[in-house]
Amino acid sequence: MFSYSSIDAYHALLLAGQVSCRQVVEHYLQAICAKKHLNAFVDVYAEEALQKADELDLQRRQGKPIKSLHGVVVALKDVIAYNKHRLTAASKILKNFHSIYSATVVKKLLQEEVIIIGNCNCDEFAMGSTNENSFYGPVLNAAAETCVPGGSSGGSAVAVQAGLCMISLGSDTGGSVRQPADFCGIVGLKPTYGRISRHGLVAFASSFDSIGLFAKNVHDIAKVLSVIAGPDEFDSTVSQKNVEDYTKTPISNKKFRFAYFQETLQHPVLDSEISSSLQLTIKNLMHDGHTIEPAHFEYLDYIVPAYYVLTTAEASSNLARYDGVRFGYRTEESVDDLTEFYTTNRSEGFGKEVKRRIMLGSFVLSTGYYDAYFTKAQQVRRLVVEKIESVFKNYDFILMPTAPSTAFMLGKKITDPVAVYLSDIFTVTANLTGCPAISLPLFKHSNGLPFGLQLLANRFNELSLLQVSKQLLQHS
């Protein structure tokens, strides 16, 4: 029976002839079928994946050299375009819409010979922190099926957590990769804003959105990031910086400088056991010879309001294109007035949370409120950027909690959107500033559920972030 540990170990098995890509794909298809109740997938590309596996097996038999992601089984979040495949953003308004092109990340993955096995469930238009806001219903956490997996990339996280694929891609606008990684006990990376092209990613909030990665180990993340990062002529916001080899082995015994914010570890929303575990980690890092010191972060209670003002404003603009005329859901009611036609399409097509954010975004952009809300939130963002930049002048990393608690029960917070919004308090800093951040599965709570810690690095310092992450996981 096939058992996956890492891309490198998998490739060794393939080259030794101990396993074939077809056998591996069949293994994952059986696992997806057996765990269908988790609702992690929207679509499974079974025939296509098997056909691709056979092609790759034939190439190896013919003696052709394998590429860096040869035969790696990947799942995509249902907001990442894959040509001639459904792309619905887990929304009724895009029901049965098929993409007419592939995202840049998908093209890069396919060039390196991956096998895409399906697309994953998520919160509608990536708006949510529980994966309960989906047209396809909630995703269940494989560690505790009565609990949420986190969101919005919950399906992508569970696909890796439950052994339904090797790697998955999600999107992270305010923590939508790191928080579900934390809840599911896996590794989740949000790279620097602009490190990966957003071409082909369904837009939520364009100045925040990042494509992120899920895996069970850091080396796999590094290997995939080395492939999908880099310039792209279709995305004017992507960085032109050269892509490093993120798989480089870290210098042994290298000592780093960490900062941590007392305000995060002492915040009333943080579970006491999570706080204690992080404080113990701080002591262990000091014992190992690293420099780790407290820093003051006076904006902690302002970042969530600023984030939601800015992202909802951008969302209200981005989602204006979904009107039922050019593509997507169209009402069956007979409507004569064009404005009523638009309103009916959008009212029937969007879910409650998406409508809430569109209305909030329209409000903060409206005449008489723009300066009071949107302009003020932009000012807060600037202050947060300046603060984090000042911290990184003296430190390599910032250590923070990923989430205030472990995974909570399905339905517990669905009627209290503000409580859900506040659960993003430790993740949105990385999106406001564009910094890379990673969630590492280091701990297990007394309630039996996993949780981790979050590390932030300065912009485009993914290499050192991944290297220190490897060290932390090896010593855990």
Side-chain angles (χ1 to χ4, degrees), residues 314-355:
E314 292 187 24
S316 70
S317 175
N318 279 326
L319 271 62
R321 70 194 70 172
Y322 303 104
D323 53 20
V325 175
R326 288 158 288 190
F327 52 81
Y329 174 83
R330 182 176 294 186
T331 183
E332 295 179 1
E333 289 186 24
S334 179
V335 181
D336 297 324
D337 180 73
L338 184 60
T339 301
E340 186 183 351
F341 177 68
Y342 287 154
T343 303
T344 306
N345 289 337
R346 291 165 66 80
S347 297
E348 294 178 3
F350 287 131
K352 184 183 291 186
E353 180 60 30
V354 172
K355 285 188 273 194

Side-chain angles (χ1 to χ4, degrees), residues 57-346:
D57 288 339
L58 178 61
Q59 287 178 23
R60 287 197 319 283
R61 288 197 297 270
Q62 292 173 340
K64 293 180 180 178
I66 67 172
K67 294 192 176 181
S68 65
L69 301 180
H70 178 92
V72 173
V73 180
V74 175
L76 307 173
K77 183 178 180 179
D78 187 28
V79 292
I80 298 173
Y82 185 15
N83 191 29
K84 298 179 182 178
H85 295 74
R86 277 210 308 165
L87 177 67
T88 72
S91 178
K92 181 180 178 180
I93 207 160
L94 282 175
K95 183 182 178 183
N96 296 324
F97 174 75
H98 287 69
S99 180
I100 57 173
Y101 68 96
S102 289
T104 298
V105 290
V106 172
K107 289 180 180 177
K108 288 184 175 182
L109 289 172
L110 292 172
Q111 286 170 359
E112 291 300 310
E113 302 178 347
V114 304
I115 299 171
I116 299 176
I117 202 164
N119 67 332
C120 291
N121 199 350
C122 59
D123 283 301
E124 184 182 5
F125 281 98
M127 297 182 189
S129 304
T130 65
N131 217 143
E132 294 173 290
N133 304 316
S134 169
F135 176 63
Y136 305 106
V139 177
L140 309 184
N141 190 323
E145 294 180 9
T146 57
C147 291
V148 302
S152 62
S153 309
S156 297
V158 171
V160 171
Q161 174 199 35
L164 311 182
C165 64
M166 298 174 183
I167 304 290
S168 67
L169 297 189
S171 64
D172 192 312
T173 303
S176 288
V177 165
R178 289 159 289 150
Q179 187 245 27
D182 181 85
F183 281 8
C184 293
I186 59 175
V187 182
L189 172 74
K190 181 205 87 72
T192 303
Y193 180 82
R195 181 69 290 189
I196 297 174
S197 170
R198 290 184 294 112
H199 175 66
L201 174 67
V202 174
F204 164 11
S206 302
S207 73
F208 291 80
D209 297 340
S210 294
I211 290 176
L213 302 95
F214 294 98
K216 287 193 172 179
N217 64 76
V218 174
H219 190 74
D220 282 2
I221 295 255
K223 208 169 179 70
V224 177
L225 181 63
S226 296
V227 169
I228 64 175
D232 177 25
E233 62 179 326
F234 296 112
D235 181 359
S236 62
T237 64
V238 77
S239 171
Q240 301 301 308
K241 286 179 178 286
N242 289 332
V243 177
E244 298 178 88
D245 177 5
Y246 296 114
T247 63
K248 281 182 183 175
T249 304
I251 300 170
S252 59
N253 301 317
K254 183 177 180 180
K255 304 306 176 187
F256 293 102
R257 299 165 299 159
F258 295 82
Y260 65 93
F261 298 138
Q262 287 281 18
E263 291 87 352
T264 62
L265 298 184
Q266 297 172 357
H267 201 278
V269 301
L270 183 63
D271 177 275
S272 60
E273 199 169 319
I274 294 177
S275 178
S276 297
S277 296
L278 265 62
Q279 290 181 42
L280 180 59
T281 299
I282 289 168
K283 290 180 182 177
N284 290 338
L285 286 169
M286 293 177 66
H287 182 265
D288 291 340
H290 298 284
T291 299
I292 182 158
E293 298 171 343
H296 181 46
F297 187 48
E298 61 270 35
Y299 305 118
L300 185 61
D301 289 329
Y302 300 97
I303 57 175
V304 170
Y307 166 81
Y308 276 97
V309 167
L310 294 172
T311 57
T312 56
E314 292 187 24
S316 70
S317 175
N318 279 326
L319 271 62
R321 70 194 70 172
Y322 303 104
D323 53 20
V325 175
R326 288 158 288 190
F327 52 81
Y329 174 83
R330 182 176 294 186
T331 183
E332 295 179 1
E333 289 186 24
S334 179
V335 181
D336 297 324
D337 180 73
L338 184 60
T339 301
E340 186 183 351
F341 177 68
Y342 287 154
T343 303
T344 306
N345 289 337
R346 291 165 66 80

